[in-house]
């Protein structure tokens, strides 16, 4: 059973998230209302050898309601790189997304709060991040992608390859990409291989190259 800590200053939403995730088979071990409390709680759990699998945190929390939640998550990732972090935001905020993804996309998620209403997909995203995967909101990916320039490193990719890479950035597996695009698994594998080749990613583990490809995509 995956263990979760929720950081959200709205008691109503925090309780709702707790109920939602509990009903989907996850264990919510703590709920807090600000960034300082989140950091303190994680330190206490780690000291008791009970570090959770994932933190689900609002970006904006007291006292200033700017980026306290995000800063707490970035700090915790630096201290506990094995800790999954899924942040929730009311709007797409590129700076926050880029900062969270600056070092690694492993065990990282950034979703708009509207996605919580899609219960199954949201719970799946929490589990995916807890297991070391990536969960990026399609709108976040689209907005980050729009910053790409004509001569950037992605210029050699075909439209379909860009589409596949965008879905990879959302944290989807090859099988999930194939289902989304209504193509065969083999076709997706071929596109992924071409992406690695065109981005100059040398032969290594599949997971490592996927992370590098996504980072290239998000930083372009």
């Amino acid at each position: 059973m995956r263990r979760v800590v929720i950081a959200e200053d709205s008691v109503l939403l925090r309780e709702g998230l707790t109920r939602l995730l509990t009903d989907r088979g996850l264990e919510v071990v703590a709920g807090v209302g600000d960034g300082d409390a989140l950091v303190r709680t994680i330190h206490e759990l780690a000291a008791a050898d009970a570090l959770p699998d994932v933190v689900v945190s609002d970006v904006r929390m007291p006292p200033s309601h700017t980026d306290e939640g995000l800063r707490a998550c970035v700090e915790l990732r630096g201290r506990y790189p094995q800790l999954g972090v899924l942040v929730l935001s009311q709007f797409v905020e590129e700076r926050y997304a880029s900062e969270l993804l600056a070092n690694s996309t492993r065990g990282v998620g950034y979703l708009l709060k509207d996605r919580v209403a899609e219960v199954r997909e949201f719970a799946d995203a929490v589990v995916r991040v807890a297991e070391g995967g990536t969960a990026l909101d399609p709108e976040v990916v689209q907005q980050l992608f729009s910053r790409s320039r004509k001569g950037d490193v992605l210029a050699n990719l075909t439209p379909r390859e860009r589409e596949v890479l965008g879905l990879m950035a959302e944290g989807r597996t090859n099988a999930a990409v194939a289902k989304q695009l209504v193509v065969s698994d083999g076709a997706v594998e071929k596109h992924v291989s071409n992406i690695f080749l065109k981005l100059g990613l040398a032969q290594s583990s599949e997971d490592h190259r996927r992370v590098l490809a996504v980072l290239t995509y998000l930083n372009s």
Side-chain angles (χ1 to χ4, degrees):
M1 181 182 294
R2 296 299 178 180
R3 303 171 69 251
V4 186
V5 169
I6 296 174
E8 166 59 56
D9 63 300
S10 167
V11 176
L12 184 62
L13 181 53
R14 187 166 71 238
E15 292 301 318
L17 289 172
T18 298
R19 177 64 181 272
L20 184 157
L21 294 177
T22 299
D23 287 349
R24 303 296 296 185
L26 290 88
E27 180 185 1
V28 178
V29 297
V32 299
D34 61 72
D36 289 341
L38 172 59
V39 172
R40 184 169 60 253
T41 297
I42 296 300
H43 287 336
E44 290 172 352
L45 289 170
D49 197 26
L51 189 71
D53 298 294
V54 61
V55 166
V56 177
S57 175
D58 191 0
V59 166
R60 300 185 176 194
M61 288 196 291
S64 71
H65 292 279
T66 54
D67 61 354
E68 284 84 355
L70 175 77
R71 285 191 284 107
C73 288
V74 170
E75 176 183 339
L76 290 170
R77 284 280 291 185
R79 180 72 178 273
Y80 310 106
Q82 72 274 37
L83 176 67
V85 169
L86 174 60
V87 299
L88 304 176
S89 180
Q90 194 70 38
F91 309 102
V92 178
E93 299 174 274
E94 291 184 33
R95 179 172 64 86
Y96 294 156
S98 298
E99 185 172 352
L100 185 65
L101 296 161
N103 294 318
S104 172
T105 60
R106 186 185 186 282
V108 173
Y110 187 113
L111 297 178
L112 296 182
K113 283 189 173 181
D114 289 348
R115 303 297 174 190
V116 176
E118 300 169 9
V119 175
R120 175 175 292 182
E121 290 189 15
F122 174 68
D124 288 347
V126 174
V127 172
R128 187 160 68 245
V129 171
E131 295 176 345
T134 307
L136 298 181
D137 195 288
E139 290 190 32
V140 174
V141 172
Q142 182 178 2
Q143 193 150 319
L144 290 172
F145 182 72
S146 69
R147 296 181 306 167
S148 298
R149 296 296 180 262
K150 186 174 181 180
D152 69 16
V153 70
L154 304 181
N156 291 328
L157 299 185
T158 66
R160 175 63 82 175
E161 288 164 355
R162 284 177 177 249
E163 194 172 10
V164 169
L165 184 52
L167 292 171
M168 288 167 59
E170 292 175 22
R172 299 175 189 263
T173 63
N174 285 2
V177 172
K179 183 177 180 181
Q180 176 72 19
L181 299 180
V182 195
V183 298
S184 69
D185 289 357
V188 172
E189 290 174 4
K190 183 176 181 179
H191 287 312
V192 171
S193 295
N194 287 338
I195 289 167
F196 291 157
L197 180 64
K198 291 180 179 180
L199 295 183
L201 299 177
Q203 185 69 38
S204 63
S205 74
E206 178 77 8
D207 288 343
H208 181 64
R209 288 202 293 177
R210 287 181 82 88
V211 169
L212 290 177
V214 169
L215 285 174
T216 299
Y217 173 76
L218 294 175
N219 290 327
S220 63

